[in-house]
Amino acid sequence: MNTATAPVIEYVALMPILILLGAACIGILVEAFLPRHHRFHTQLVIVGAAIVGAFIRLIANWRQGRSGIMAMGSLTLDGPTYVMWSGLLVFGLLAVLVFAERKANGGVTTFAASAATTPGSKAEATASAARIEHTEIFPLFLFSLAGMMLFLAANDMLTLFVALEVFSLPLYLMCGMARRRRLLSQEAALKYFLLGAFSSAFFLFGVALVYGYTGSFTFGDIAIAVTLPTQGRGLLITGLALMVVGVLFKIGAVPFHNWTPDVYVGAPTPVTGFMAICTKAAASMALLRLLYTAFGGERWSWQPVLMVIAILTMLLGAVFGLTQTDVKRLLAYSSVAHAGFILTAVVGAQGIVATGQLTSVGAVMFYLIAYGFATIGAFAIVTLVRRSGGETNAMDDWAGLGRRSPVLAGIFSFFLLSFAGIPLTAGFIGKWAAFESAWRGGYKWLVVVAVIASLIAAFFYLKLIMIMWFQPPAEGVEVAVPSALTWVPIIVGALATLLLGVAPGLLLDVVSTADVFLR
Amino acid sequence: MTFPWLTILGIIPLIGAAFMLFPVRLAARPVGLIVSFVTAAVGLAIGGMYLGGTTFLEQVPWIKTFGAWWSLRLDGMSLAMVLMTVILTPIVLVAERKLPERIGRWSSASFFGLVLLLESMSLFVFMADDVLLFYLFFEATLIPVYFLIGGFGGAARRAAAMKFLLFSLAGGLVMLASVIGLYAVSASAGKPSYLITDLAALHIDGTSGRWLMLGFLLAFIVKAPMFPVHTWLPEAAEQGTPGTSVLLVGVLDKIGTFGMIKFCLVLFPEASRWVAPFMIGLALISIIYGAAAAFASKNLLRLIAYTSISHFGMMVLGIYAFTSQSITGSIFYMLNHGFSIAALFLVVGFMIKRRGTAQIDAYGGVQKVAPLLAGSFLLAGLSGLALPGMSTFISEFLVLAGTWTRFPWVAAVAALGVVMSAVYILSMYRRTMTGPLSADVAKSFESDLSGSEKLVVLPLIAIILLLGFFPGRTVETMQPTADSVMKIVQLSDPVPQAGK
């Protein structure tokens, strides 16, 4: 007779995620029960406390060595999980500070007064005049962040899919909540949602096929099934391909990148900053885990395909970036190019590595963290350049920023140099690590292509630097004076970019001892 | 651990630069000058200690995962480059103390800051004994130069700065692939290490050695501008201020020839022997092409830039002729060229300051009104054409004599370049300084060299003459570097044969 056994859940080990999800639920209750004028500060305190609390618990768990496959086989807590969870929490905290910036926007946040009203309608005008704010953005943000953390730790395909939806759905909403240029913002949200829904469907179909072949959802079982010599691998390969499509969409790799420029531009800039790094980090790590642990035995099938995708992504991102005239679009194509650089490291999977050296997992993690600090800081600066009260992203309006506000322009240039991979920035070390892992995996000429793509990309970063420093200031543009909420991410981003460029050993030591996926 | 002299030397200008580039700029110019003089003093003290027999080596693990070290070392060649850098920087700062205010240009404080930043980076480049450390500073030097050209130059400065940066980045990124490849080789041999000594012990031969070497070489060819990747230099020199050009051509471009000796030859001896015929050919083309283009130039700054291309060809020829004499000559040439080109650029800078243009047509008969200026110009020019008695003569002679023992015909063709240099230098002097004096020119040159200008020119001329008449000690210091390179390349000097 079968007896139903109660599931074993390691609550302490999973506490970081539980804290975030719990805080998100409390945030929703706050929306429902607290008077409007109390909500903003309450939400801010809840978000801050939740992220800090989760971070402290995470570090404590890490030090206590709580690792293993948790929650009845659906989540894995291992080195990469700990590193990237910490990364996500730090980036999340920095990003949400920019969400809460009010001083630079005349006392309200950059989010729509009332997202449900039709743009241009009377109701919208009333809501704006009453200076109403959407504080729902904070619980949505927490759900999304928790979803991302789940996504990269998932150890079975169903958890992976659920996590994908948990982090995506709030993001679709957040994209449509800009206070200014609402139509653009809503269009971005719709585009993102439709394409995202498609990619989720692909992913789910892939899950079904892989399940059909292997008879199991968990990565460990799939890994075993993959190594068995069975006929009809077409099912497996097709399923794998469809799943990878779903994840590559989130990473923004070619040919699934088309949403990035539009969504980056339309979404409120603080959300873009959050999305640009956190989505990419979670999806890259999930892809790595999926490919290494579940499909490691099948890597002769996926490595060549991924290599082609990496090449296309790097080159297309770099070349299209050249023609952009909008700063946010430029950063969007830059993020596509960076997705390509990350994929070069992924392709170099399982090159021979001695102890204490960097594996491709370690390289990807370092790259993401290095890229993350610069991205968060860069988008925070993007929020500050204004024309007639609203944010302006036209490159012409950025002309002469070096004269108007040398400190911000200097820091922004520093971030751009880091994106370009110039030494003494974190970006250089990240590039070195990513390319090295591809080289060691035996893809030497992929490194050569990557180097060429870096050169093309460097051109547009430098073009922007040139515009900022060597052109006369544009008329009618002003730089908003932000509060500490925006300054903190900018300063932290710049310091971290410098520190990881000059003394990368601090992070490399951590990353290279925590770069093995638990199977 | 002994006192970290080399690290201190590199950090002093860095601190100065940080002070200069931050918004608080109290008394930027005096502070900048003081910092550069202190650096020079420390540098000279280190030089003195080195000649006294002290060895300088500072090694601390830096990025353990990559096998990279914070490793600085001095040998004869790097000492020469370090001394050249610390001497030229204060001279440039004195010369460019008062930048003419032009719309859209930056403040003097930023200029001082960027120059000091560049000095610090270049010092580290010359002292680095670890490939990754070298690469790091090699690439980092590009940023201050980019801003120096783009922020302070002439009308077309932005395009010139961009062109400079793109050429250099292209070379640098290809080199990055090689740097990564070196790591892969060293990691597969056991323990990854970027120390030059460890890498040289690996004896990287065969096809992989050749490819890796080519990556390095490409970056160095762009840097020490050689035909056909030299096109960025004339524009950068024409648009940049003379002071910027001194640092760019005199100091920074030396990294190219310096790197060829320190990295290409030492790490990939076999591949270097393989590529030598090609490099000698390229060097000959550069020598002749640079000289011809200099002769045809209508702009003084462009002319000087082209002479440099010719002279860099000579240095590269000396390196790849593989005789201890020619390599010593090349190293000595690197030093002399720095001072000689500095004198030329700065004196031309004084002329431009008075006349407002660098077009040769706009001058004529200057020696009648400004004899001191004309005299300095002539002396600087003569050192450029390697007149006996000038230091450049010794180095050019060593290169040619060394090359002759192995490739007589090559030396003969290269000697053509020497003849041509006499033609373009003297014709430049004739067209600008002699001939009828127009009223415009006379008005522009009412004042001869001022006190501070003399302060700029005198030390340079003195060094050129001093090294010309007493080259012994300096050449002896460089000889060990050349000898050790020869040993690594596994070639010995050809035995002179009687009757040939």
Side-chain angles (χ1 to χ4, degrees):
Chain A
M1 230 180 92
N2 287 334
T3 49
T5 48
V8 184
I9 306 287
E10 293 80 352
Y11 287 102
V12 180
L14 302 179
M15 195 56 81
I17 286 191
L18 297 176
I19 291 175
L20 292 189
L21 289 173
C25 296
I26 296 174
I28 287 176
L29 292 179
V30 166
E31 287 299 315
F33 293 109
L34 227 60
R36 195 183 289 282
H37 58 275
H38 285 314
R39 287 182 200 161
F40 179 81
H41 293 288
T42 318
Q43 293 286 17
L44 200 57
V45 169
I46 291 174
V47 171
I51 295 183
V52 172
F55 189 75
I56 292 172
R57 188 62 247 173
L58 181 71
I59 298 299
N61 284 348
W62 198 354
R63 299 189 69 130
Q64 290 159 6
R66 288 177 200 272
S67 61
I69 292 174
M70 308 274 174
M72 310 291 285
S74 54
L75 287 175
T76 315
L77 260 70
D78 50 12
T81 309
Y82 275 114
V83 173
M84 289 320 289
W85 278 14
S86 322
L88 281 179
L89 286 174
V90 171
F91 294 142
L93 185 63
L94 293 177
V96 84
L97 291 179
V98 189
F99 281 38
E101 174 68 49
R102 291 164 116 183
K103 186 180 165 207
N105 313 305
V108 284
T109 58
T110 47
F111 302 107
S114 169
T117 52
T118 318
S121 68
K122 210 169 190 177
E124 185 202 31
T126 324
S128 296
R131 304 178 72 78
I132 295 172
E133 288 171 305
H134 253 307
T135 40
E136 284 93 340
I137 196 92
F138 293 107
L140 286 175
F141 162 82
L142 280 178
F143 275 123
S144 184
L145 189 63
M148 288 168 182
M149 288 169 66
L150 274 177
F151 192 52
L152 67 87
N155 189 48
D156 70 48
M157 295 192 295
L158 278 186
T159 313
L160 200 62
F161 180 71
V162 171
L164 179 74
E165 294 305 306
V166 170
F167 87 72
S168 298
L169 289 171
L171 269 184
Y172 302 145
L173 270 177
M174 285 153 77
C175 283
M177 289 175 72
R179 183 177 284 268
R180 288 170 180 275
R181 298 197 289 183
R182 286 190 57 205
L183 279 174
L184 205 65
S185 171
Q186 292 184 353
E187 183 195 326
L190 189 66
K191 248 180 203 165
Y192 193 22
F193 171 69
L194 284 179
L195 292 173
F198 262 118
S199 82
S200 294
F202 275 118
F203 185 85
L204 197 56
F205 191 33
V207 169
L209 294 184
V210 172
Y211 180 76
Y213 180 86
T214 60
S216 171
F217 282 119
T218 56
F219 290 176
D221 294 345
I222 295 171
I224 295 167
V226 163
T227 52
L228 296 176
T230 324
Q231 296 295 310
R233 292 182 90 80
L235 198 60
L236 178 74
I237 306 286
T238 317
L240 170 63
L242 291 173
M243 285 177 76
V244 169
V245 166
V247 183
L248 284 180
F249 174 82
K250 294 291 170 198
I251 296 179
V254 174
F256 317 107
H257 67 289
N258 269 319
W259 59 276
T260 19
D262 290 344
V263 174
Y264 274 37
V265 171
T269 308
V271 174
T272 313
F274 167 62
M275 197 164 67
I277 175 59
C278 291
T279 310
K280 195 164 292 223
S284 305
M285 289 312 289
L287 181 70
L288 271 176
R289 187 184 293 280
L290 181 69
L291 291 178
Y292 282 25
T293 59
F295 294 96
E298 196 58 37
R299 81 193 149 97
W300 303 118
S301 316
W302 57 257
Q303 256 172 339
V305 180
L306 219 54
M307 183 184 68
V308 173
I309 289 178
I311 291 173
L312 288 177
T313 309
M314 287 187 286
L315 289 180
L316 200 132
V319 171
F320 277 41
L322 288 177
T323 59
Q324 302 309 316
T325 53
D326 180 292
V327 176
K328 266 166 105 179
R329 272 192 114 76
L330 182 121
L331 289 177
Y333 278 107
S334 136
S335 95
V336 173
H338 281 279
F341 296 138
I342 292 169
L343 287 178
T344 54
V346 176
V347 172
Q350 298 169 14
I352 308 111
V353 170
T355 46
Q357 294 178 21
L358 208 57
T359 61
S360 48
V361 181
V364 170
M365 290 195 293
F366 187 91
Y367 199 103
L368 287 169
I369 291 172
Y371 175 67
F373 278 113
T375 306
I376 294 269
F379 277 104
I381 293 178
V382 170
T383 60
L384 297 178
V385 182
R386 306 293 171 88
R387 177 185 278 285
S388 56
E391 197 182 300
T392 174
N393 304 321
M395 264 196 210
D396 293 340
D397 285 346
W398 281 59
L401 195 71
R403 225 164 265 278
R404 183 167 281 128
S405 115
V407 176
L408 278 181
I411 296 178
F412 195 75
S413 308
F414 186 60
F415 290 142
L416 290 177
L417 291 177
S418 181
F419 290 149
I422 303 287
L424 300 181
T425 63
F428 167 71
I429 306 285
K431 256 193 187 142
W432 188 96
F435 294 176
E436 186 272 323
S437 115
W439 184 291
R440 203 121 48 107
Y443 293 90
K444 289 178 197 174
W445 64 271
L446 180 62
V447 174
V448 176
V449 176
V451 158
I452 293 169
S454 307
L455 180 66
I456 302 173
F459 184 79
F460 62 71
Y461 296 126
L462 295 169
K463 194 172 90 178
L464 187 52
I465 292 183
M466 196 178 78
I467 288 174
M468 284 194 300
W469 291 99
F470 298 150
Q471 278 187 8
E475 295 292 323
V477 176
E478 56 199 29
V479 177
V481 181
S483 63
L485 289 169
T486 305
W487 272 116
V488 168
I490 295 175
I491 301 288
V492 170
L495 287 181
T497 305
L498 180 67
L499 190 68
L500 292 181
V502 176
L506 302 170
L507 181 60
L508 281 171
D509 287 346
V510 177
V511 162
S512 60
T513 51
D515 55 1
V516 180
F517 283 126
L518 217 61
R519 285 157 208 266
Chain B
M1 204 181 141
T2 51
F3 189 72
W5 279 106
L6 302 183
T7 310
I8 300 281
L9 176 68
I11 282 180
I12 297 170
L14 191 64
I15 294 170
F19 179 76
M20 225 60 43
L21 293 175
F22 273 102
V24 191
R25 292 167 176 173
L26 278 171
R29 275 185 272 185
V31 172
L33 278 175
I34 290 170
V35 169
S36 73
F37 279 114
V38 169
T39 316
V42 175
L44 290 173
I46 289 176
M49 283 189 273
Y50 182 87
L51 294 180
T54 320
T55 51
F56 289 96
L57 175 64
E58 289 158 24
Q59 252 172 19
V60 186
W62 168 44
I63 312 176
K64 285 199 182 115
T65 327
F66 296 178
W69 295 69
W70 177 266
S71 172
L72 307 175
R73 184 201 290 274
L74 272 192
D75 64 1
M77 176 168 68
S78 39
L79 176 69
M81 294 297 103
V82 165
L83 288 181
M84 184 180 79
T85 311
V86 297
I87 293 173
L88 284 181
T89 308
I91 291 179
V92 164
L93 287 185
V94 172
E96 301 277 11
R97 200 174 69 263
K98 286 181 187 139
L99 284 167
E101 292 300 327
R102 250 190 248 170
I103 300 161
R105 292 220 301 199
W106 292 6
S107 67
S108 290
S110 329
F111 184 84
F112 273 50
L114 288 168
V115 166
L116 288 178
L117 186 63
L118 179 60
E119 181 185 20
S120 164
M121 304 282 163
S122 330
L123 286 174
F124 281 125
V125 166
F126 289 129
M127 296 187 293
D129 195 43
D130 174 288
V131 176
L132 194 69
L133 192 67
F134 171 84
Y135 182 79
L136 213 71
F137 287 113
F138 176 77
E139 288 281 274
T141 51
L142 303 182
I143 304 305
V145 177
Y146 173 72
F147 282 110
L148 278 173
I149 299 174
F152 303 92
R157 57 185 183 268
R158 277 174 230 143
M162 197 63 162
K163 195 167 177 183
F164 157 78
L165 197 57
L166 282 181
F167 267 81
S168 307
L169 267 185
L173 281 169
V174 174
M175 184 169 151
L176 176 63
S178 281
V179 170
I180 289 171
L182 266 185
Y183 172 85
V185 172
S186 128
S188 63
K191 205 172 157 358
S193 166
Y194 264 129
L195 284 180
I196 293 179
T197 38
D198 290 353
L199 288 171
L202 289 175
H203 300 294
I204 306 163
D205 291 338
T207 326
S208 66
R210 287 178 187 179
W211 281 108
L212 292 177
M213 188 275 299
L214 284 178
F216 279 90
L217 192 59
L218 185 70
F220 295 145
I221 288 181
V222 173
K223 200 94 232 183
M226 294 190 68
F227 185 87
V229 282
H230 64 282
T231 52
W232 60 270
L233 180 68
E235 273 169 52
E238 186 182 346
Q239 296 301 329
T241 65
T244 306
S245 304
V246 169
L247 294 175
L248 178 62
V249 184
V251 177
L252 218 54
D253 287 356
K254 298 291 157 41
I255 299 174
T257 43
F258 176 86
M260 286 177 200
I261 297 178
K262 189 154 177 177
F263 296 95
C264 293
L265 262 51
V266 170
L267 297 183
F268 315 103
E270 195 236 274
S272 293
R273 286 204 303 273
W274 165 74
V275 84
F278 173 73
M279 288 303 291
I280 287 175
L282 218 53
L284 284 182
I285 296 176
S286 294
I287 293 172
I288 302 296
Y289 172 87
F295 185 66
S297 296
K298 293 190 170 60
N299 179 301
L300 284 168
L301 294 168
R302 275 186 101 84
L303 192 152
I304 303 174
Y306 278 119
T307 69
S308 290
I309 292 170
S310 181
H311 292 160
F312 272 106
M314 203 66 100
M315 293 174 219
V316 173
L317 177 67
I319 294 171
Y320 281 93
F322 291 134
T323 63
S324 63
Q325 201 179 17
S326 68
I327 294 180
T328 312
S330 287
I331 301 173
F332 195 36
Y333 209 149
M334 283 155 64
L335 180 70
N336 297 329
H337 177 260
F339 294 118
S340 139
I341 208 78
L344 266 175
F345 267 124
L346 292 177
V347 172
V348 167
F350 299 150
M351 290 162 62
I352 296 172
K353 207 190 287 172
R354 289 172 170 74
R355 192 78 182 91
T357 172
Q359 293 300 319
I360 295 178
D361 295 347
Y363 295 86
V366 175
Q367 65 175 358
K368 293 187 188 105
V369 278
L372 277 180
L373 183 68
S376 334
F377 188 53
L378 185 62
L379 273 174
L382 290 179
S383 86
L385 67 77
L387 189 80
M390 302 288 181
S391 58
T392 37
F393 168 73
I394 315 276
S395 42
E396 209 155 279
F397 177 79
L398 284 174
V399 168
L400 289 175
T403 310
W404 177 270
T405 57
R406 199 180 291 282
F407 309 108
W409 282 108
V410 172
V413 176
L416 255 178
V418 183
V419 179
M420 290 170 77
S421 74
V423 176
Y424 61 68
I425 292 281
L426 292 176
S427 106
M428 169 174 81
Y429 184 78
R430 186 181 56 78
R431 284 194 279 169
T432 53
M433 295 297 167
T434 63
L437 177 71
S438 70
D440 274 359
V441 174
K443 194 158 168 265
S444 309
F445 285 91
E446 271 170 353
S447 61
D448 205 342
L449 284 187
S450 69
S452 68
E453 286 170 344
K454 284 179 204 154
L455 207 65
V456 170
V457 175
L458 273 180
L460 288 172
I461 303 282
I463 293 173
I464 292 171
L465 290 175
L466 212 64
L467 288 177
F469 282 102
F470 309 102
R473 189 73 181 89
T474 320
V475 173
E476 274 166 35
T477 316
M478 293 163 175
Q479 187 85 33
T481 308
D483 288 342
S484 72
V485 169
M486 287 294 291
K487 207 187 286 170
I488 293 168
V489 185
Q490 294 170 351
L491 284 173
S492 52
D493 290 330
V495 184
Q497 290 170 2
K500 194 177 171 185

